[in-house]
Amino acid sequence: LRMGKHRGFQPQGWINPLVLARQSGPTTPSGPTIRDYLNRPRPSLDELKQKQKEKEMKNKQLELWEEMQTKNFRAILDQQRNKRHKKEKEKGKKKEKKKQKKEKDKKRKKRKHSHTTESPEPTEKLDSSSSSSSSLSITSLKSIVTSNVPTPSLSSTVITTTTLNQDEKRIKRKRDELT
């Protein structure tokens, strides 16, 4: 079998649009021409100024409205901040009151505890040697008072409390004199 030979130019692509346009001839314009565009009606200078003023007025009104909104918003924020601040102050005051109450309760408990643990018990009468040794501390006096003592009676407790108070006063006076 014999194959045929391909000779010469055989176009196999797009046709050149410029060649096609030349072949079809001149076209009629479908839209406005450049002259029409340049000769269109235009606003005068006064009209332009009026439009510019209107735009500026709108911008000013918008700016005023925005300023008013920001002022209102700022006022609302300030009110809310003040409310929160007042609440925090009140909470702080309440906490301080609670702390003070706790401290008072602790002091009361300590006082009650110290009164119950340091309740005076009857002792033998202190002789002149023990009263002359008033340089002894209060705790040592109390320990002396509470040692080797039978069960207390009401009258003896009153006597011991007064003697303890007198001894405490003497010790304080001597300390003050030394300092």
Side-chain angles (χ1 to χ4, degrees):
L1 290 165
R2 284 180 130 174
M3 298 282 291
K5 293 183 180 180
H6 294 280
R7 293 185 186 142
F9 175 72
Q10 295 178 355
Q12 300 171 358
W14 296 98
I15 299 169
N16 189 350
L18 296 174
V19 173
L20 252 177
R22 268 190 232 126
Q23 288 174 357
S24 64
T27 58
T28 57
S30 61
T33 61
I34 295 173
R35 270 200 188 130
D36 294 337
Y37 181 75
L38 291 174
N39 292 331
R40 74 187 186 281
R42 296 184 203 152
S44 66
L45 191 60
D46 294 333
E47 291 172 353
L48 280 175
K49 287 181 180 178
Q50 283 179 351
K51 285 184 181 180
Q52 193 68 25
K53 284 181 183 178
E54 288 174 3
K55 285 182 182 179
E56 288 176 2
M57 290 297 290
K58 286 180 183 178
N59 288 340
K60 284 181 182 178
Q61 287 176 349
L62 181 65
E63 288 176 9
L64 290 173
W65 181 80
E66 286 177 350
E67 287 177 13
M68 186 178 68
Q69 291 296 325
T70 54
K71 286 180 183 177
N72 291 339
F73 185 69
R74 178 64 56 194
I76 291 170
L77 287 178
D78 290 339
Q79 288 174 355
Q80 291 174 350
R81 187 183 307 118
N82 289 337
K83 285 180 184 177
R84 287 188 194 130
H85 193 62
K86 286 179 183 177
K87 286 181 182 178
E88 288 175 2
K89 280 186 179 179
E90 290 174 1
K91 285 181 182 178
K93 288 180 182 178
K94 287 180 182 178
K95 285 182 181 179
E96 288 178 15
K97 287 180 181 178
K98 285 182 181 179
K99 285 181 183 178
Q100 289 175 355
K101 284 183 180 180
K102 285 182 181 180
E103 290 174 3
K104 286 181 182 178
D105 290 340
K106 286 181 182 178
K107 287 180 182 178
R108 287 179 187 165
K109 286 180 182 178
K110 285 182 181 178
R111 288 179 189 164
K112 286 180 182 179
H113 184 68
S114 65
H115 287 299
T116 57
T117 57
E118 298 175 6
S119 62
E121 296 180 1
T123 63
E124 300 170 4
K125 285 190 176 180
L126 295 173
D127 59 343
S128 62
S129 64
S130 64
S131 63
S132 64
S133 63
S134 60
S135 63
L136 296 173
S137 67
I138 298 170
T139 55
S140 62
L141 284 173
K142 288 180 181 177
S143 64
I144 292 170
V145 168
T146 56
S147 63
N148 298 327
V149 176
T151 57
S153 67
L154 186 60
S155 62
S156 62
T157 56
V158 172
I159 294 169
T160 53
T161 54
T162 56
T163 55
L164 281 175
N165 289 338
Q166 289 172 354
D167 289 337
E168 288 174 359
K169 288 178 183 177
R170 285 183 200 150
I171 293 169
K172 285 181 183 177
R173 284 184 205 150
K174 287 194 176 186
R175 283 184 189 164
D176 291 338
E177 289 172 3
L178 292 174
T179 59

